[in-house]
């Protein structure tokens, strides 16, 4: 009888299969998540990129758990005066609304994705780097199948992905819009990954840095300097730990914004959100969750991001007096549509090692490193991570992010690995799945598929499919102007999760964002 040796959940079948291939070859969870990430750079290009950024939570009981932060830094180190920036607005049509995004060379932040993956592989990987990148090289060179979720994002971001010839080549848009099932390739990226396996850091610090400086430096309207690139380092942090009944939730600590909000939501929900499967989905349960999300929204607009950079920020946020004040705020409160080009990969192996990786490229700057087949980020142009206004970050500052890769422990053993894409909805998506799984005790697939909510200030968005008449009536009474989604939508994130059900490995890829899962047997 075969035995499960690992599971990978991701935003595309080809991404998950790349990770599963590495598990079958004897790799561990970190090997698998790195391989899946390289594959995602090929098959989920609008959502992530080697010139993007991410955060990885990994580890096991024996060696402990660590958060490797390789999110973007604000550029401009060594610049005496800012150049005239190539920074402009494009309109993106969502159907019901048109949203503006900021792109151009001046929207590019210092990327951390490749330094982060190589650091993770050095610290905890088992197989050679050449074996890790091999699935991605094959997909990029021999061709991959364009999934419907990715094609949907490409269509929405058409003004960005078709802005320059290099971008049109990467996204297969030279001759119109590709359709789901189209077979695309990226031979330049295949060559880059193959060379990366041989040269590693030398390739990054040499030709890649030179290309970034040439394309996105001050001479062409960007802010990237050689000092920015040379000084960038991934940062290893202790995960934020939050007690939740019999479980301990590990997630992204400050200065990340998302992990702490998830933790605060779990603390606030205790005693307020009814627990157990019988209560899940009733009017009170759904309304209490909506009120918790509303409180978290209020927290974020009251100097939250600034407090994350204070010394000992996590202890201050979770101090009993601070939590009591938060609960008081919540009691007083009771009575913009953003695509969020982010993706997530979760891996859990039979040895008990977990890896939870969230990645983003923003919506993309509209520019590419054409020789390498790499689309480049627009983190300086995303309103959600520039709350004080654009180009206000001091050069060299690690930008904050809503990314919240998460691992749940029970008796010290990882029993659930999850995370989500979805910009500012990441906190809502992860919190609701955690409450459904460890609070309402729903099976993992049901916890991920359950109808979702999101609150920003006085605005509520919700999915009606699967929501009880009683629950919807309660929401509409408290939020008469709520936005109703008739079907599950990628607006509400994409929680890709793996975990143990007793001793059986299970997983679920969130179909809101094309999610798939591969369980590996030997």
């Amino acid at each position: 009888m075969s035995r499960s040796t690992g599971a990978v959940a991701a935003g595309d079948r080809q991404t998950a299969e790349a990770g599963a291939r590495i598990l079958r070859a004897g790799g561990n969870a970190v090997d698998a998540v790195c391989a899946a990430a390289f594959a995602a750079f090929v098959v989920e290009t609008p959502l992530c990129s080697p010139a993007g950024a991410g955060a990885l939570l990994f580890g096991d009981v024996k060696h402990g758990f660590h958060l490797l932060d390789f999110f973007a830094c604000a550029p401009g180190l060594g610049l005496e005066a800012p150049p005239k920036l190539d920074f402009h607005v494009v309109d993106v049509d969502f159907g019901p609304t048109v949203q503006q995004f900021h792109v151009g060379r001046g929207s590019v932040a210092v990327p951390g994705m490749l330094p982060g993956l190589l650091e993770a592989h050095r610290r905890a990987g088992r197989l050679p780097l050449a074996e890790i990148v091999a699935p991605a090289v094959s997909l990029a060179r021999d061709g991959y199948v364009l999934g419907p979720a990715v094609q949907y994002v490409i269509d929405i971001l058409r003004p960005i992905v078709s802005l320059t010839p290099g971008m049109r080549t990467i996204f297969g848009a030279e001759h119109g819009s590709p359709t789901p099932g189209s077979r695309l390739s990226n031979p330049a990226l295949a060559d880059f990954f193959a060379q990366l396996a041989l040269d590693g850091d030398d390739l990054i610090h040499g030709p890649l840095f030179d290309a970034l400086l040439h394309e996105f430096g001050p001479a062409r309207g960007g802010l990237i300097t050689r000092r920015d690139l040379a000084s960038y380092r991934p940062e290893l942090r202790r995960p934020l730990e939050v007690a939740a009944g019999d479980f301990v939730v590990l997630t992204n600590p400050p200065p990340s914004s998302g992990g702490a909000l998830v933790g605060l939501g779990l603390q606030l929900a205790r005693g307020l959100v009814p627990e157990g499967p019988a209560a899940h989905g009733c009017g009170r349960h759904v309304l209490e969750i909506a009120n918790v999300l509303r409180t978290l929204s209020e927290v974020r607009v009251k100097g939250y991001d600034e407090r994350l950079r204070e010394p000992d920020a996590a202890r201050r946020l979770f101090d009993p007096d601070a939590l009591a004040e938060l609960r008081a705020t919540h009691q007083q409160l009771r009575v913009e549509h953003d695509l969020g080009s982010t993706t997530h990969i979760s891996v859990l192996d039979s040895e008990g090692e977990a890896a939870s990786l969230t990645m983003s490229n923003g919506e993309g700057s509209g520019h590419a490193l054409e020789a390498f087949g790499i689309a480049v980020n627009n983190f300086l142009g995303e309103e959600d991570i520039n709350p004080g206004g654009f180009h206000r970050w001091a050069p060299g500052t690690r930008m904050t992010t809503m990314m919240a890769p998460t691992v749940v422990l029970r008796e010290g053993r990882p029993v659930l690995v999850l995370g989500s894409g979805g910009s500012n909805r990441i906190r809502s998506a992860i919190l609701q799945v955690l409450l459904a799984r460890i609070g309402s005790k729903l099976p993992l697939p049901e916890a991920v598929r359950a109808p979702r909510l999101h609150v920003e200030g006085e605005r509520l968005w919700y999915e009606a499919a699967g929501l009880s008449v009683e629950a919807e009536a309660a929401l509409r009474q408290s939020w008469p102007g709520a936005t109703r989604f008739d079907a599950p939508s990628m607006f509400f994130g994409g929680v890709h999760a793996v975990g143990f059900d007793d001793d059986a490995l299970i997983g679920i890829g969130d179909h809101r964002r094309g999610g798939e899962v591969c369980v590996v047997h030997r």
Side-chain angles (χ1 to χ4, degrees):
M1 180 178 177
S2 64
R3 187 170 70 91
S4 297
T5 59
V8 183
D12 188 278
R13 165 62 62 175
Q14 296 156 112
T15 301
E17 286 175 344
R21 170 175 160 180
I22 295 302
L23 290 177
R24 292 189 193 98
N28 59 19
V30 169
D31 287 324
V33 86
C34 289
F38 280 109
F41 298 150
V42 180
V43 306
E44 300 180 55
T45 300
L47 304 173
C48 58
S49 163
L56 170 66
L57 203 163
F58 68 97
D60 57 22
V61 175
K62 182 178 179 181
H63 300 97
F65 293 87
H66 310 277
L67 190 289
L68 190 62
D69 176 351
F70 40 99
F71 200 65
C73 282
L77 288 173
L79 277 180
E80 295 183 3
K84 182 180 179 180
L85 291 178
D86 172 27
F87 187 76
H88 55 94
V89 168
V90 295
D91 292 327
V92 174
D93 187 358
F94 284 88
T97 185
V98 175
Q99 185 180 353
Q100 292 187 330
F101 290 94
H102 296 78
V103 298
R105 295 179 179 88
S107 71
V108 176
V110 182
M113 196 71 230
L114 285 180
L117 286 184
L118 293 189
E119 180 68 13
H121 181 258
R122 275 192 294 267
R123 285 181 175 273
R126 181 184 297 166
L127 299 182
L129 185 59
E131 197 164 349
I132 301 301
V133 302
V137 171
S138 295
L139 288 165
R141 182 165 289 143
D142 301 333
Y144 65 95
V145 177
L146 180 64
V150 175
Q151 187 269 340
Y152 173 75
V153 177
I154 291 175
D155 270 356
I156 286 178
L157 297 180
R158 179 64 46 197
I160 298 175
V161 303
S162 61
L163 191 64
T164 59
M167 291 288 282
R168 291 194 290 273
T169 298
I170 290 171
F171 289 95
E174 304 101 317
H175 308 293
S177 179
T179 57
S182 298
R183 193 166 187 87
L184 305 177
S185 63
N186 190 341
L189 189 58
D191 292 343
F192 176 77
F193 286 159
Q195 197 64 40
L196 183 69
L198 298 174
D199 296 340
D201 286 330
D202 290 341
L203 178 63
I204 295 175
H205 290 268
L208 184 64
F209 278 11
D210 290 342
L212 284 166
L213 285 167
H214 177 266
E215 190 68 27
F216 302 102
R220 305 198 71 185
L223 290 167
I224 300 290
T225 70
R226 190 166 291 279
R227 274 186 61 188
D228 291 324
L229 299 172
S231 63
Y232 185 90
R233 298 288 185 278
E235 296 185 5
L236 195 68
R237 310 185 195 278
R238 180 179 178 180
L240 177 65
E241 296 187 18
V242 182
D246 296 335
F247 303 90
V248 174
V249 176
L250 307 180
T251 190
N252 201 358
S256 160
S257 58
L261 285 173
V262 170
L264 288 172
L266 288 170
Q267 294 293 308
L268 188 59
R270 184 181 298 170
L272 296 175
V273 176
E275 295 189 344
H280 186 88
C282 72
R284 182 184 163 218
H285 178 270
V286 171
L287 190 58
E288 291 291 3
I289 288 178
N291 282 322
V292 169
L293 298 177
R294 182 182 185 182
T295 302
L296 296 181
S297 173
E298 289 292 320
V299 167
R300 197 176 182 215
V301 299
K302 293 181 177 179
Y304 171 77
D305 285 354
E306 291 75 15
R307 282 185 288 149
L308 290 173
R309 299 188 179 278
E310 295 175 357
D312 207 11
R315 184 190 63 79
R316 292 170 182 264
L317 287 168
F318 288 86
D319 177 81
D321 290 340
L323 288 172
E325 182 180 343
L326 178 63
R327 283 178 173 270
T329 301
H330 176 77
Q331 295 297 329
Q332 294 167 11
L333 288 169
R334 288 164 60 123
V335 229
E336 269 313 65
H337 192 90
D338 187 7
L339 177 64
S341 296
T342 317
T343 192
H344 183 83
I345 303 165
S346 293
V347 183
L348 187 57
D349 66 30
S350 59
E351 298 174 18
E353 184 171 74
S356 180
L357 171 64
T358 309
M359 306 182 290
S360 180
N361 199 39
E363 292 75 34
S365 63
H367 294 266
L369 300 175
E370 192 168 356
F372 301 124
I374 295 174
V376 181
N377 73 79
N378 71 323
F379 294 132
L380 297 184
E382 284 206 312
E383 291 186 10
D384 188 58
I385 58 177
N386 293 272
F390 298 118
H391 303 110
R392 300 288 183 87
W393 293 101
T397 303
R398 186 66 53 105
M399 301 175 74
T400 191
T401 172
M402 195 61 69
M403 292 180 180
T406 300
V407 173
V408 178
L409 309 181
R410 187 170 191 172
E411 298 178 349
R413 174 195 180 201
V415 294
L416 178 61
V417 183
L418 73 162
S420 179
S423 189
N424 59 355
R425 275 97 56 215
I426 287 175
R427 64 179 187 259
S428 301
I430 294 174
L431 177 60
Q432 287 170 87
V433 172
L434 287 173
L435 291 174
R437 179 61 171 159
I438 65 181
S440 297
K441 307 292 191 277
L442 294 188
L444 182 57
E446 290 183 29
V448 170
R449 292 175 183 140
R452 236 170 254 164
L453 323 168
H454 181 67
V455 178
E456 291 287 337
E458 296 302 315
R459 299 190 65 187
L460 168 73
W461 297 261
Y462 71 95
E463 294 175 335
L467 199 63
S468 70
V469 173
E470 173 198 11
E472 183 167 14
L475 291 175
R476 301 294 308 191
Q477 182 175 0
S478 295
W479 281 274
T483 300
R484 182 183 197 267
F485 286 72
D486 293 329
S489 169
M490 74 178 301
F491 173 76
F492 296 94
V495 179
H496 309 315
V498 294
F500 282 103
D501 186 358
D502 294 325
D503 289 328
L505 261 176
I506 57 173
I508 174 72
D510 196 335
H511 287 180
R512 293 173 180 86
R513 290 192 172 224
E516 297 283 352
V517 65
C518 288
V519 178
V520 178
H521 300 275
R522 277 193 197 149

